[in-house]
Amino acid sequence: MTDSTAARNRPDDRDEIARLLPAPDDRDLTREQHLRHKELLMQHIDHDRAASTAAAEPARRTPRRRPVLIASAAALALAGALTAGIAMTGTDGRTHGGTTTAATDTRPAAALLHRISAAAARHDTLTVRDDQFVYTREKIRGADLTSGKAVVGPLEDEETWLAQEPGPLHRLGLSRVDGETLPLNAELGDTEGTPAGFGRPTYRWLGSLPTDPGRLLDYLYAKTPEAERRQRDQAVFEQIGSLLGGMMPPRTAAALYRAAAEIPGVRRTLEARDVIGRQGLGIVRDDTRYGVRTEWVFDPKDYSFLGARTFLIRDTSYGEAGTLLSGTAELAHAVVDKAGLRPADADGTRTA
């Protein structure tokens, strides 16, 4: 029996790989169409159909608030020596100038996160009405894994307008990527609409979270969605990261950073850069199961959040250590009265 035949005879493995693959950008497709796209991805994994067959029915591009990529366990768990730390100096996520040894002492990370928390707490609390939209402009870059190799796409300019209404919504806002504007629709399966929450963090919902760091951390561990074989500490760290880069009440931001300081394995790095090359102070955590590092980058002067990157820290079939999987660079934030309306200073630097 060939390897490919054996793989096809293990439906549980196929289901597991399908679950871990990045979902196609098709939130507003029917369930049947969604499953069809999932099957096309499995054809790439099995290599039992021509690539042109899969390309014949591409998923319609749906805008996303943030490039989120969860790589296949089968690929990321392949052999390769774990790199303890990577000196990153390029904007493409590749290593330059060799490797460095990462410190295991987490106290510097806690000290830095406490300073970031104190800086966030000094910001003014905004008044955001339910009929308004939170505007974000950022640079984004991500990798496509469907070919079995990480193919890093071009740097794109993304603007989003997120509705602040608290109730479940079918239309969450707008996204404009390199000039193309498309609606943000309810999450797949939310037939009654997507409510405010982790998937749609409105300013009001963020303000309802516990502001005591210990209580907030307990809440995050209890409410962060479970993922089989996913390290729980890593899942919570990434859940916090998914909330960064937007506008939130200062007390919530301060509590999130202090909560992150209590997660085991969180470290500080002095060699952090966002996806457009801005150097800053880094907070990182490694998912050693899959060989992936998540890195948050902060301005060394005012401790504001610059962006985030996710990249490989060991060689896998998807790519070499240092290969970028996803990255963002924050440029501007504002509150506007209408989706599609740009604030006057959208072409400037960060506004929040």
Side-chain angles (χ1 to χ4, degrees):
M1 180 181 293
T2 65
D3 291 342
S4 60
T5 302
R8 286 193 294 273
N9 289 336
R10 293 196 300 269
D12 291 342
D13 289 350
R14 286 168 54 87
D15 291 344
E16 175 65 10
I17 293 172
R19 185 183 63 78
L20 290 169
L21 277 169
D25 287 336
D26 56 1
R27 294 180 191 171
D28 53 346
L29 297 180
T30 66
R31 175 171 175 77
E32 290 74 16
Q33 289 171 311
H34 174 74
L35 293 175
R36 173 57 179 157
H37 289 303
K38 186 78 76 174
E39 178 59 27
L40 290 176
L41 288 177
M42 294 314 303
Q43 291 170 13
H44 285 290
I45 296 295
D46 287 338
H47 299 290
D48 58 352
R49 294 189 184 180
S52 59
T53 302
E57 297 186 54
R60 181 170 65 82
R61 182 182 183 188
T62 301
R64 66 277 189 205
R65 290 200 322 275
R66 178 171 304 281
V68 177
L69 185 151
I70 301 177
S72 160
L76 293 183
L78 290 179
L82 176 64
T83 304
I86 302 174
M88 309 297 294
T89 59
T91 59
D92 60 352
R94 292 283 178 178
T95 57
H96 299 276
T99 61
T100 59
T101 301
T104 57
D105 188 351
T106 60
R107 287 176 296 179
L112 174 57
L113 283 165
H114 288 178
R115 292 197 297 273
I116 294 169
S117 172
R122 290 193 291 268
H123 291 175
D124 294 331
T125 300
L126 302 177
T127 299
V128 181
R129 301 193 312 269
D130 291 346
D131 63 343
Q132 291 183 306
F133 294 79
V134 168
Y135 169 86
T136 298
R137 182 188 170 203
E138 58 190 353
K139 292 288 187 179
I140 60 174
R141 197 175 189 188
D144 182 354
L145 302 184
T146 55
S147 68
K149 295 289 184 181
V151 180
V152 181
L155 192 66
E156 296 179 306
D157 192 276
E158 180 177 56
E159 297 170 283
T160 57
W161 292 263
L162 297 182
Q164 297 299 294
E165 293 182 40
L169 296 179
H170 289 95
R171 185 63 58 86
L172 311 184
L174 289 178
S175 175
R176 182 175 295 152
V177 180
D178 284 346
E180 180 185 12
T181 303
L182 291 172
L184 287 170
N185 296 313
E187 298 287 347
L188 187 69
D190 288 348
T191 57
E192 301 299 321
T194 299
F198 286 128
R200 189 170 73 84
T202 64
Y203 195 86
R204 179 192 292 270
W205 178 81
L206 289 165
S208 72
L209 295 176
T211 55
D212 174 79
R215 289 182 55 214
L216 178 57
L217 192 61
D218 289 342
Y219 177 88
L220 291 166
Y221 271 90
K223 299 298 184 180
T224 295
E226 294 281 352
E228 188 178 355
R229 299 186 182 181
R230 192 73 165 162
Q231 295 173 344
R232 191 63 181 159
D233 294 334
Q234 185 71 18
V236 172
F237 180 77
E238 292 178 0
Q239 185 69 78
I240 293 175
S242 73
L243 301 177
L244 306 181
M247 302 184 76
M248 71 173 68
R251 293 183 64 192
T252 303
L256 280 172
Y257 290 127
R258 284 186 172 267
E262 301 303 318
I263 298 175
V266 173
R267 296 182 290 105
R268 170 185 173 175
T269 177
L270 299 178
E271 294 291 336
R273 290 179 183 269
D274 66 14
V275 76
I276 59 175
R278 294 179 298 188
Q279 187 169 358
L281 303 172
I283 292 295
V284 303
R285 194 181 191 285
D286 295 344
D287 188 332
T288 55
R289 183 187 297 274
Y290 298 128
V292 173
R293 174 172 298 171
T294 299
E295 177 180 78
W296 305 340
V297 187
F298 297 89
D299 190 304
K301 295 181 180 179
D302 63 9
Y303 300 117
S304 58
F305 180 72
L306 294 179
R309 292 189 309 154
T310 301
F311 53 90
L312 296 176
I313 54 173
R314 66 175 177 233
D315 294 345
T316 74
S317 63
Y318 275 153
E320 300 174 354
T323 298
L324 180 73
L325 299 180
S326 66
T328 62
E330 304 299 311
L331 299 179
H333 302 103
V335 178
V336 297
D337 292 333
K338 183 179 179 181
L341 179 66
R342 284 183 173 133
D345 55 355
D347 292 329
T349 57
R350 286 162 287 113
T351 59

